[in-house]
């Protein structure tokens, strides 16, 4: 089957649905690939790189649409593109069926099979490799901070220079989904003071882990929705949320809004009154501008200045990092293609038994199959069986498992132990008894020393092993350099003991210094 890659015709769209590196992998799956000439130019992928990867380069979009069995797209196709589409072909890309009913009718008339990447059931863990929404949202969140930095009149990080002190920028991020978390990490890495809010309380730890401060709304309500999105909140919560946003607007230098629920207009979070309270020179980046915007004064597709505040409403944030976005998006489509073509023979199978494929498919051979039924999530683990009946009562002469030893049994144990010690004391040589006493005390002292080491710089296991290594090292040093006798002469050990002591010292040194090295690497993983 032939996979076609037309050039995106939406205004300002620079992404391309497949990059040369992915073309090579598609060819290995048994497909032929055709790319419209110039399709990758805006993302810095020249036609020659596609030819080198094994793709055909066709001169026009009509050649791609009419010849392709499968079409990869980024933006939903325009009516003129659908008119050129081969009847019965397959379309894979962003479609947004809820927002584009007319497009759905046109594709149905072409008896097409349509897999909308935006309809992927994101709650399925195995679907994450195909999740283009997450890929694009992460890029958009990063780019939103870059756009804010470009429009902002100061450094993000605080500085003290000979010319004066520069305070750090204060950034408030509304919404801590994928895009919001990407924005939090980017702003924090640039040195800003970052605060964030989300209706889902469980993301608070994620915000903190990225260097931000979670700002909680003074209203108790669970905000988690299906598929990783937030839900529409009650009027009481929204009123408390607006009060919190009004307070943050007065204090923040930069506000980045990301609140959006698929299929619904963007909720209004920042009012004109809030914008007026912001300091002149402040910036708002509205990532929901394409669906009307979270800010009341946002103009979709433009950056405008209102009341001294720059409001950025760009709708092509992912496209402004076209090469990176195209690479991630094409990889998502590759993973989807691998699921559709498990036989690697260049033929796809839209298998409705696969929940991920079923969720993606909005039209199959001209029949509308959207919306898909909820995916069959793994069953909850079975409840543990009731506790077994109590163990039978132990006989009078013994004790059951887990029960304390009876007074009679304890007396017998002590009597036997005392008899054994009397036998050792009565018949063993005096030197043996002296060494045995030292051995018992050494075991007790060693146990107390080892197990009372506080694991401040290590894991508990590594702390114990280092304590044991320290004891071994001290013992080896004593053997290598024994104390002087009464005459002032050293009792040199024989060669075997000296070699064993040196070997023990080397091995313990390796263990101890290796433990510190491993610990430093582990700690470095959690530093910025």
């Amino acid at each position: 089957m032939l996979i076609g890659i037309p050039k995106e015709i939406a205004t300002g769209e620079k992404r391309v649905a497949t990059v040369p590196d992915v073309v090579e992998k598609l060819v290995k799956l048994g497909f032929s690939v055709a790319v419209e000439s110039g399709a990758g130019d805006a993302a810095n992928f020249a036609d020659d790189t596609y030819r080198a990867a094994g793709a055909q380069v066709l001169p026009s979009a009509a050649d791609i649409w009419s010849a392709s069995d499968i079409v990869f797209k980024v933006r939903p196709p325009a009516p003129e593109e659908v008119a050129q589409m081969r009847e019965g072909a397959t379309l894979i890309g962003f479609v947004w069926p809820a927002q584009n009913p007319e497009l759905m009718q046109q594709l149905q008339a072409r008896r097409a099979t349509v897999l909308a990447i935006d309809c992927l059931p994101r709650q399925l863990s195995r679907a994450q490799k195909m999740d283009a929404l997450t890929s694009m949202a992460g890029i958009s969140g990063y780019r939103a901070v870059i756009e804010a930095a470009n429009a902002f009149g100061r450094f993000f990080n605080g500085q003290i220079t000979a010319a004066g002190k520069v305070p750090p920028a204060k950034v408030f991020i509304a919404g801590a989904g994928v895009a919001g978390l990407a924005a939090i990490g980017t702003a924090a890495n640039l040195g800003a003071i970052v605060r964030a809010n989300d209706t889902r309380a469980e993301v608070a730890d994620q915000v903190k882990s990225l260097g931000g401060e979670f700002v909680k709304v003074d209203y108790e309500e669970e905000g988690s929705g299906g598929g990783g999105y937030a839900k529409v909140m009650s009027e009481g919560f929204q009123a408390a949320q607006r009060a919190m946003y009004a307070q943050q607007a007065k204090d923040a230098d930069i506000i980045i809004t990301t609140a959006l629920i698929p299929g619904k207009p963007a909720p209004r979070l920042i009012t004109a009154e809030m914008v007026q309270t912001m300091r002149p020179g402040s910036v708002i980046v509205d990532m929901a501008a394409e669906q009307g915007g979270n800010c009341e004064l946002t103009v979709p597709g433009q950056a405008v200045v209102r009341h001294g505040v720059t409001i950025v409403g760009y709708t092509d944030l992912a496209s402004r990092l076209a090469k990176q976005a195209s690479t991630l998006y094409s990889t998502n489509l590759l993973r989807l293609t691998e699921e559709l073509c498990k036989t690697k023979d260049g033929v796809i199978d839209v298998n409705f038994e696969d929940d991920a494929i079923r969720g993606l498919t909005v039209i199959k051979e001209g029949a509308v199959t959207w919306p898909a039924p909820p995916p069959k999530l793994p069953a909850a683990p079975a409840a543990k069986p009731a506790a077994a009946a109590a163990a039978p009562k132990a006989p009078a002469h013994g004790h059951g498992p887990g029960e304390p030893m009876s007074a009679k049994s304890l007396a017998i144990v002590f009597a036997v132990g005392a008899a054994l010690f009397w036998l050792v004391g009565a018949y063993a040589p005096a030197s043996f008894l002296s060494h045995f006493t030292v051995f018992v005390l050494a075991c007790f002292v060693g146990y107390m020393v080892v197990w009372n080491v506080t694991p401040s710089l290590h894991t508990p296991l590594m702390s114990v092993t280092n304590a044991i290594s320290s004891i071994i090292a001290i013992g080896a040093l004593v053997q290598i350099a024994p104390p002087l006798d009464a005459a002032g002469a050293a009792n040199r050990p024989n060669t075997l003991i000296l070699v064993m002591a040196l070997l023990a010292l080397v091995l313990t040194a390796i263990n101890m210094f290796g433990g510190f090295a491993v610990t430093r690497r582990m700690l470095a993983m959690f530093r910025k």
Side-chain angles (χ1 to χ4, degrees), residues 300-353:
Q302 298 181 32
V304 297
V305 178
R306 299 288 185 268
H307 308 294
V309 177
T310 301
I311 304 173
V312 178
Y314 297 147
T315 58
D316 60 345
L317 289 172
S319 184
R320 288 170 179 257
L321 287 171
K323 186 166 187 174
Q324 183 68 74
S326 299
T327 300
L328 295 182
Y329 181 71
S330 61
T331 301
N332 293 138
L333 295 193
L334 170 66
R335 301 307 173 206
L336 171 57
T337 307
E338 289 174 343
E339 294 295 316
L340 293 169
C341 181
K342 294 184 177 180
T343 55
K344 299 183 179 181
D345 58 356
V347 178
I348 64 171
D349 176 25
V350 182
N351 179 16
F352 272 19
E353 295 299 317

Side-chain angles (χ1 to χ4, degrees), residues 219-243:
Y219 193 98
E220 294 298 330
E221 182 176 349
E222 174 55 42
S224 296
Y229 295 101
K231 71 175 184 180
V232 178
M233 307 301 286
S234 67
E235 284 297 327
F237 182 92
Q238 291 181 32
Q241 188 182 51
R242 283 192 292 271

Side-chain angles (χ1 to χ4, degrees), residues 73 77 104 122:
K73 278 275 291 167
M104 292 286 287
R122 302 171 77 185

Side-chain angles (χ1 to χ4, degrees), residues 283-306:
V283 178
I284 297 174
V285 179
D286 193 340
M287 296 183 63
E290 195 165 8
Q291 297 299 324
N294 296 137
C295 178
E296 191 175 351
L297 302 180
T298 296
V299 178
Q302 298 181 32
V304 297
V305 178
R306 299 288 185 268

Side-chain angles (χ1 to χ4, degrees), residues 48-379:
D48 289 342
T49 61
Y50 285 103
R51 291 191 183 96
Q56 309 172 53
V57 176
L58 302 182
S60 67
D63 296 328
I64 295 292
W65 286 99
S66 61
S68 300
D69 301 296
I70 306 167
V71 176
F72 284 179
K73 278 275 291 167
V74 179
R75 295 273 185 167
E80 58 269 26
E81 291 178 308
V82 177
Q84 297 172 341
M85 187 177 183
R86 177 178 174 178
E87 187 168 342
T90 298
L91 172 68
I92 301 177
F94 286 108
V95 177
W96 307 107
Q99 291 97 315
N100 296 302
E102 293 181 1
L103 173 61
M104 292 286 287
Q105 293 175 3
Q106 295 166 357
L107 291 168
Q108 184 182 9
R110 302 297 297 175
R111 299 185 57 81
T113 296
V114 181
L115 279 73
I117 201 71
D118 47 276
C119 292
L120 179 75
R122 302 171 77 185
Q123 60 268 47
L124 298 177
S125 58
R126 58 178 294 270
Q128 293 177 2
K129 61 184 179 181
M130 303 176 269
D131 190 358
L133 281 172
T134 294
S135 299
M136 299 302 102
I139 292 174
S140 298
Y142 172 87
R143 184 68 191 196
V145 177
I146 302 303
E147 294 294 339
N150 181 59
F152 190 49
R154 293 204 325 261
F155 297 134
F156 263 49
N157 62 320
Q159 296 187 17
I160 297 177
T161 70
K165 180 180 178 181
V166 180
K170 295 179 180 178
V171 179
F172 176 71
I173 297 173
V178 176
L181 292 173
I184 291 167
T186 305
N189 287 336
L190 288 174
I193 297 172
V194 184
R195 300 187 182 96
N197 167 262
D198 196 278
T199 58
R200 298 161 294 180
E202 65 268 19
V203 304
D205 290 338
Q206 300 177 43
V207 171
K208 294 175 184 176
S209 70
L210 291 169
E213 175 190 347
F214 188 77
V215 182
K216 193 174 184 297
V217 177
D218 189 17
Y219 193 98
E220 294 298 330
E221 182 176 349
E222 174 55 42
S224 296
Y229 295 101
K231 71 175 184 180
V232 178
M233 307 301 286
S234 67
E235 284 297 327
F237 182 92
Q238 291 181 32
Q241 188 182 51
R242 283 192 292 271
M244 183 270 291
Y245 283 151
Q247 181 62 37
Q248 292 297 323
K250 295 177 183 178
D251 187 50
D253 298 306
I254 296 169
I255 296 177
I256 298 175
T257 65
T258 70
L260 192 62
I261 299 174
K264 299 181 181 295
R268 296 293 191 195
L269 304 179
I270 308 298
T271 63
E273 290 77 12
M274 295 180 194
V275 175
Q276 292 180 29
T277 64
M278 297 181 71
R279 289 184 289 269
S282 298
V283 178
I284 297 174
V285 179
D286 193 340
M287 296 183 63
E290 195 165 8
Q291 297 299 324
N294 296 137
C295 178
E296 191 175 351
L297 302 180
T298 296
V299 178
Q302 298 181 32
V304 297
V305 178
R306 299 288 185 268
H307 308 294
V309 177
T310 301
I311 304 173
V312 178
Y314 297 147
T315 58
D316 60 345
L317 289 172
S319 184
R320 288 170 179 257
L321 287 171
K323 186 166 187 174
Q324 183 68 74
S326 299
T327 300
L328 295 182
Y329 181 71
S330 61
T331 301
N332 293 138
L333 295 193
L334 170 66
R335 301 307 173 206
L336 171 57
T337 307
E338 289 174 343
E339 294 295 316
L340 293 169
C341 181
K342 294 184 177 180
T343 55
K344 299 183 179 181
D345 58 356
V347 178
I348 64 171
D349 176 25
V350 182
N351 179 16
F352 272 19
E353 295 299 317
D354 186 323
D355 283 339
I357 302 302
R358 176 64 188 91
L360 285 166
T361 308
V362 297
I363 300 176
K364 185 175 183 181
E365 298 175 357
V368 175
T369 59
W370 178 84
K376 299 185 289 291
L377 298 176

